[in-house]
Amino acid sequence: MFETISVATDARGVATLTLDRAEKHNAMSAQMISELTQVAAQLGADDTVRVVVLTGKGKSFCAGGDLGWMQDQMAADPETRFTEARKLAEMLQALNTMPRPLIGAIQGNTFGGGVGLAAVCDVAVGVNGLKMGLTETRLGLIPATIGPYVIARMGEARARRVFMSARMFDAAEAVELGLLARTAPSDGLADAVEAEVAPYLICAPGAVASAKELVRTLGPCIDDAVIDQTIRALVNQWETEEAHEGIDAFFDKRKPDWVANS
C-alpha cells in the first residue's frame, strides 16, 4: 500500500511506523509526506491501535526534506510552492494531533525536518551517538513549518541555541534541549521504547486520547493561523536568492557564496 513507509501492528495494538527510504537517509519526498499524512489518519481512526512507534530504517532516522523535492520548489511557481509547503505542514499537524500516543524510536542521525518529526512525538528516545541539527540555514532556508513543534518541545530560550545556527548536537544535548526524553545504547533502544509503550496498555484508550487533546490545548497554540504563518515564511524564503544559491551549491558540490567569501 505504501512505498516510502511501512506499518506493522502487533497483537497488543502497538503499531510500528517505519520511514523506509534508507538509501536516501529517509529524507522526506513528496510521496513520503503524502503517505505519512494518510497513515496518521488511518492509525488515528483505528480503535485497535493503542500506541504508535515512529522509527526509521537504516542508519539515519530522517535527514530532513529530500533535496530533489526542495529543488523542485525552487523551479515552481509561487502557487505550487504554497501548495507543497501546506502538504508538509499538514503532515506534521496530522501526526501531532493523532489521537494515539506517538513514541519516537530515534535510531540514527536526525536533521532538518527530521527534527520536526521527533518533536511531534509525545516521547522520543534516541540512541547514544546520534547527531541532530536544524540544518536549514546552511542551505539558505529556515525551519519554518517544523518551527511550532520544535519550539513547543524546546521552549523559545533553548530553541534559540540551535534554531538559527544549524549547529550539530549530540544525543545528550538533545535530552538537555528537550527533544529527546532519554537515550539508550543501540542494542537497548527497543527495551527503552518498550518501557514508554507498556504503561499505555493498561490505560483507557479514550481517556488517553482526551488527555492528549487537552495537553495540546493547554500548551503553545498551533492552530491554522500559526500554520499559515509558517507556510508563508517557508514560501517567502524559498523565493530568496540565498535559497537558490544554497540549493544550487549543494547540487554543485561547492560552498555557497556566504561561506566561500567569508
Side-chain angles (χ1 to χ4, degrees):
M1 182 177 182
F2 298 116
E3 295 181 9
T4 67
I5 62 175
S6 62
V7 185
T9 304
D10 68 18
R12 303 174 300 165
V14 178
T16 299
L17 168 57
T18 304
L19 308 179
D20 197 2
R21 297 185 78 213
E23 74 286 355
K24 297 291 187 180
H25 296 277
N26 298 318
M28 291 184 288
S29 63
Q31 184 175 5
M32 181 182 278
I33 291 167
S34 175
E35 291 183 354
L36 284 171
T37 305
Q38 293 175 52
V39 80
Q42 290 177 12
L43 294 173
D46 187 345
D47 290 338
T48 68
V49 173
R50 302 286 298 273
V51 184
V52 179
V53 175
L54 175 63
T55 191
K57 186 176 181 179
K59 294 182 178 180
S60 300
F61 171 67
C62 179
D66 182 88
L67 269 296
W69 177 78
M70 283 192 262
Q71 192 177 40
D72 288 344
Q73 308 322 307
M74 297 298 101
D77 59 84
E79 183 177 353
T80 299
R81 289 174 181 164
F82 195 90
T83 298
E84 292 303 306
R86 178 168 293 283
K87 290 177 182 177
L88 175 59
E90 289 178 345
M91 178 272 288
L92 292 164
Q93 185 69 323
L95 289 170
N96 187 56
T97 59
M98 183 172 59
R100 303 287 178 262
L102 183 60
I103 311 299
I106 314 301
Q107 92 292 351
N109 290 345
T110 305
F111 304 124
V115 177
L117 288 178
V120 299
C121 293
D122 298 302
V123 178
V125 181
V127 293
N128 298 331
L130 66 74
K131 296 292 184 183
M132 302 184 83
L134 293 149
T135 50
E136 287 87 346
T137 53
R138 291 188 182 184
L139 296 171
L141 301 171
I142 57 174
T145 52
I146 67 172
Y149 311 101
V150 171
I151 294 170
R153 178 66 65 191
M154 292 188 188
E156 181 185 347
R158 287 181 293 185
R160 285 188 178 204
R161 290 167 48 182
V162 294
F163 198 78
M164 300 87 75
S165 68
R167 177 175 66 79
M168 302 290 182
F169 48 94
D170 61 16
E173 187 171 3
V175 172
E176 181 187 347
L177 289 167
L179 278 170
L180 298 178
R182 58 192 175 111
T183 63
S186 58
D187 60 358
L189 181 62
D191 288 341
V193 171
E194 177 61 25
E196 299 293 343
V197 167
Y200 286 109
L201 302 180
I202 58 173
C203 294
V208 169
S210 295
K212 180 171 179 175
E213 182 179 10
L214 178 62
V215 77
R216 289 199 330 269
T217 63
L218 296 175
C221 177
I222 306 176
D223 59 10
D224 289 346
V226 170
I227 291 171
D228 285 347
Q229 179 184 356
T230 69
I231 292 169
R232 288 193 299 271
L234 179 57
V235 170
N236 290 342
Q237 191 63 30
W238 272 341
E239 294 176 354
T240 65
E241 291 183 5
E242 285 188 341
H244 285 273
E245 168 63 12
I247 299 296
D248 287 347
F250 178 87
F251 281 100
D252 293 343
K253 295 181 169 53
R254 61 174 174 82
K255 295 178 180 179
D257 57 15
W258 56 80
V259 175
N261 297 333
S262 64

